[in-house]
């Protein structure tokens, strides 16, 4: 009987602590939710999806070229499809078969998209395939919502 009383004395404080912790957590969640709802961005229009194509600066895989015409073509295509586009320059790198670092200039053309449906996505993939063929690449990188695809 004495053991039961000792256990009982421990159970009640533990339950009270758990209930109190749950109440504090719920209050913090409510406060965080209210902060989000009252932010300056509440009710503002936003675009959730993003599509990016990585325009190489080589022709036939390893011949350096000025990729400006291809960047302009990609900007136009994405602007027609999605209402606008942005291009940023970068440097891509990978290890060759003999473990050498290969670097290449690349231009990332991207658009934020209001409604990325299957039809628009198929058009983007078709465009990436045509760019790959036109530039004689083994593949062209296409990024959709943070996931990288290699269009071969």
């Amino acid at each position: 009987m004495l053991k039961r009383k000792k256990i009982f004395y421990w159970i009640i404080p533990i339950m009270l602590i758990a209930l109190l912790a749950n109440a504090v957590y719920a209050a913090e969640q409510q406060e965080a939710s209210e902060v989000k709802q009252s932010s300056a961005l509440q009710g503002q229009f936003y675009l959730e999806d993003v599509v990016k194509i990585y325009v190489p600066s080589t022709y036939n895989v390893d011949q350096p070229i000025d990729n400006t015409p291809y960047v302009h073509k990609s900007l136009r295509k994405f602007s027609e499809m999605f209402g606008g586009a942005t291009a940023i320059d970068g440097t891509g790198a990978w290890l060759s078969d003999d473990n050498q670092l290969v670097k290449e200039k690349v231009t990332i053309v991207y658009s934020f998209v209001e409604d990325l449906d299957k039809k628009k996505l198929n058009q983007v993939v078709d465009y990436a395939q045509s760019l790959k063929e036109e530039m004689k690449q083994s593949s062209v990188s296409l990024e959709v919502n943070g996931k990288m695809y290699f269009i071969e």
Side-chain angles (χ1 to χ4, degrees):
M1 181 81 171
L2 189 56
K3 282 187 177 182
R4 282 189 187 166
K5 284 185 180 178
K6 285 183 180 180
I7 291 173
F8 183 72
Y9 289 130
W10 283 102
I11 288 176
I12 290 177
I14 290 172
M15 289 176 60
L16 288 173
I17 290 170
L19 286 172
L20 181 61
N22 190 35
V24 168
Y25 177 76
E28 288 173 353
Q29 293 300 332
Q30 178 68 24
E31 184 179 327
S33 177
E34 289 172 4
V35 168
K36 286 181 185 175
Q37 291 176 359
S38 66
S39 77
L41 295 177
Q42 179 64 29
Q44 296 296 315
F45 177 75
Y46 66 95
L47 301 171
E48 193 166 318
D49 296 312
V50 64
V51 177
K52 301 177 184 180
I53 190 164
Y54 290 66
V55 181
S57 65
T58 57
Y59 182 81
N60 199 20
V61 182
D62 61 356
Q63 298 169 8
I65 61 165
D66 176 11
N67 69 355
T68 302
Y70 301 103
V71 170
H72 285 284
K73 182 178 178 181
S74 298
L75 284 166
R76 175 172 279 294
K77 182 69 170 178
F78 275 35
S79 292
E80 289 170 351
M81 291 178 65
F82 307 121
T86 301
I88 55 173
D89 292 326
T91 302
W94 65 93
L95 292 176
S96 67
D97 291 338
D98 60 349
N99 209 31
Q100 296 297 312
L101 184 65
V102 178
K103 295 190 291 185
E104 175 185 353
K105 298 277 185 214
V106 66
T107 304
I108 303 167
V109 176
Y110 67 94
S111 291
F112 284 90
V113 183
E114 183 174 359
D115 182 26
L116 186 60
D117 58 17
K118 185 178 178 180
K119 181 181 175 185
K120 287 182 183 175
L121 198 51
N122 286 341
Q123 290 173 343
V124 171
V125 171
D126 289 345
Y127 176 70
Q129 287 173 328
S130 71
L131 187 65
K132 173 192 90 76
E133 291 169 10
E134 190 174 344
M135 295 185 77
K136 301 206 183 303
Q137 297 290 313
S138 59
S139 69
V140 168
S141 298
L142 186 64
E143 184 180 341
V144 179
N145 293 333
K147 293 182 182 177
M148 180 68 76
Y149 299 89
F150 299 98
I151 307 304
E152 299 178 338

